[in-house]
Amino acid sequence: MTPIRYSHLRAIARSPMHYRAAVESPREQTPAMRMGTIVHGLVLGGGQTVVYDGERRGKAWADFAAAHEGREIVTASEVARAVPIADAVLADPVAGPLLRAEGARREETMAWSMDGLPCQGTPDSWDPAMGILLDLKTCADASPRKFAGHAWSYSYHAQLAWYAHALTLAGHTVRECLLVAVETSAPHGVTVHRLSPRALEEGTRAWRAWWEQLRICITADQWPGYAESICTLDVPAWLEEDDGADD
């Protein structure tokens, strides 16, 4: 069985059908996702990408892509745009020391099992001496007010809670979970966000609910979509409120 990763588990929040599709047919990287991958590589190290010195079109591109099938291909121009973003992260007085901490384990894949099912995950950074679990995120707005909504909508709190649980199973003590947010547009603002105990508790509740649904689907080998009956479409509450505003 393919190990269960957080990106797949999160898909079941949409529907079991979307979970199975995520496992069987990994989605193609968008430009924003590629930029995040490049920034991660520049900040955290590792050779996950292959650089193509040209545009993503034509026979030369097709030949290069075929020769590097299965690898994440980025262009030289994309790398050039990512460099100042990565530099901003490493130069930040708070984020930089955390990411350069001696003894921190960067992008090390963990493997564990729950309820007899194999799991796998790759935290961006785990510092066992400090007990700090950290994830790096690229975004449009890293400010505390705006990023909070972005983090919640993408369930970053559940992702860190998922990794923290795996580390706990391995006998580690997780003292802090941090999100380093960096803006992809100049001047590339950086903010380090600490997840509160309440946020982590909600993140744990979320991934456990998805996990239980996944176990049911695996046992029954049934992967339904959004609904298995007719749904009623009514006037949205917000529209009714707008209609009464002029009375």
Side-chain angles (χ1 to χ4, degrees), residues 14-213:
R14 192 170 180 183
S15 83
M17 179 188 295
H18 287 83
Y19 170 87
R20 188 169 65 174
V23 173
E24 295 178 351
S25 304
R27 62 176 177 168
E28 185 177 346
Q29 289 250 26
T30 65
M33 292 167 65
R34 277 199 304 275
M35 183 57 61
T37 299
I38 301 168
V39 172
H40 274 69
L42 292 172
V43 172
L44 301 168
Q48 298 181 355
T49 60
V50 177
V51 179
Y52 174 67
D53 192 11
E55 298 296 323
R56 294 174 175 271
R57 61 182 180 220
K59 186 177 184 304
W61 159 251
D63 291 344
F64 189 90
H68 296 84
E69 186 176 0
R71 298 290 301 277
E72 180 63 35
I73 303 172
V74 300
T75 64
S77 60
E78 287 173 330
V79 173
R81 290 195 298 272
V83 167
I85 303 173
D87 287 346
V89 174
L90 293 173
D92 184 80
V94 180
L98 288 168
L99 288 162
R100 290 192 299 266
E102 186 176 353
R105 301 173 183 175
R106 302 172 185 87
E107 294 199 315
E108 283 193 3
T109 298
M110 304 183 296
W112 69 101
S113 65
M114 292 193 299
D115 301 318
L117 299 174
C119 302
Q120 194 174 87
T122 310
D124 287 343
S125 176
W126 160 241
D127 187 335
M130 299 296 292
I132 296 176
L133 175 63
L134 182 151
D135 222 55
L136 173 64
K137 302 295 185 184
T138 53
C139 61
D141 192 329
S143 66
R145 184 174 65 87
K146 288 287 188 180
F147 185 75
H150 177 80
W152 206 260
S153 64
Y154 281 89
S155 300
Y156 292 159
H157 62 307
Q159 181 181 20
L160 282 176
W162 164 261
Y163 290 152
H165 180 69
L167 288 166
T168 301
L169 289 177
H172 297 291
T173 299
V174 181
R175 297 184 178 88
E176 286 192 321
C177 291
L178 306 177
L179 286 168
V180 175
V182 57
E183 297 172 353
T184 53
S185 298
H188 309 301
V190 178
T191 307
V192 179
H193 306 262
R194 177 186 291 110
L195 273 70
S196 70
R198 182 181 174 186
L200 287 169
E201 182 179 344
E202 178 60 25
T204 299
R205 186 207 62 78
W207 76 252
R208 285 191 180 278
W210 303 337
W211 180 262
E212 290 306 316
Q213 186 176 17

